[in-house]
């Protein structure tokens, strides 16, 4: 009987607390259904990548692979004519990538004190 009384008292105490619980600030869903407090900065040109990117930032660019630099590095030229070295890692199948074909790429910025390059994660023909 004592255990039942204790359980009933705990339930009476905890149920109002649970019903008043709210999501942490900054994580409540926005009207669009997306979480709040997060921002995906998108850089749309190679010029912006050189000026405003940070190491390991994801970027989406449209352009063309114009020249092979080394075994797995290629020159990527955006629609404004700016170029950057982009690595197509040889452990993936890149047979769908053709020279001078307009492509949309998802890449990770590889930045150090002397160079800025891209490590391509995904490439698909532009629509």
């Amino acid at each position: 009987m004592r255990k039942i009384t204790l359980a009933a008292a705990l339930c009476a105490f905890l149920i109002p607390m649970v019903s008043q619980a709210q999501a942490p600030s900054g994580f409540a869903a926005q009207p669009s259904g997306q979480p709040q407090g997060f921002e995906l900065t998108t850089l749309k040109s190679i010029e912006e990548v050189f000026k405003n990117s940070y190491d390991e930032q994801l970027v989406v660019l449209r352009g063309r692979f114009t020249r092979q630099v080394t075994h797995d590095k290629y020159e990527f030229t955006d629609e404004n004519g700016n170029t950057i070295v982009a690595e197509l890692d040889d452990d993936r199948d890149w047979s769908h990538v053709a020279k001078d074909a307009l492509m949309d790429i998802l890449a990770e910025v590889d930045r150090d004190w002397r160079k800025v390059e891209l490590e391509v994660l995904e490439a698909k023909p532009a629509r």
Side-chain angles (χ1 to χ4, degrees):
M1 185 72 160
R2 188 174 172 187
K3 289 181 183 178
I4 295 173
T5 306
L6 181 60
L10 280 174
C11 285
F13 177 72
L14 291 177
I15 289 176
M17 291 179 66
V18 172
S19 65
Q20 294 174 3
Q22 296 179 1
S25 175
F27 289 91
Q30 294 178 348
S32 65
Q34 299 296 318
Q36 294 179 7
F38 298 96
E39 181 180 326
L40 179 59
T41 306
T42 56
L43 304 176
K44 302 240 182 224
S45 71
I46 292 173
E47 183 178 3
E48 289 181 43
V49 170
F50 280 118
K51 290 181 181 177
N52 303 322
S53 68
Y54 53 87
D55 192 39
E56 298 184 7
Q57 180 177 9
L58 294 177
V59 295
V60 176
L61 299 171
R62 177 172 282 190
R64 304 169 193 283
F65 290 97
T66 54
R67 182 173 68 93
Q68 186 170 6
V69 178
T70 65
H71 170 69
D72 60 352
K73 294 189 179 188
Y74 297 83
E75 183 178 79
F76 184 79
T77 305
D78 69 5
E79 295 177 309
N80 299 327
N82 299 314
T83 62
I84 192 169
V85 174
E87 179 182 353
L88 298 176
D89 199 5
D90 59 3
D91 65 347
R92 300 204 40 213
D93 179 19
W94 298 105
S95 61
H96 62 283
V97 175
K99 181 180 180 185
D100 294 325
L102 190 59
M103 306 288 291
D104 288 326
I105 65 168
L106 170 65
E108 183 178 289
V109 176
D110 182 17
R111 176 182 281 277
D112 65 23
W113 64 275
R114 67 179 197 272
K115 68 174 175 54
V116 177
E117 294 182 350
L118 299 176
E119 186 176 321
V120 180
L121 304 173
E122 183 179 316
K124 59 185 179 181
R127 293 184 198 177

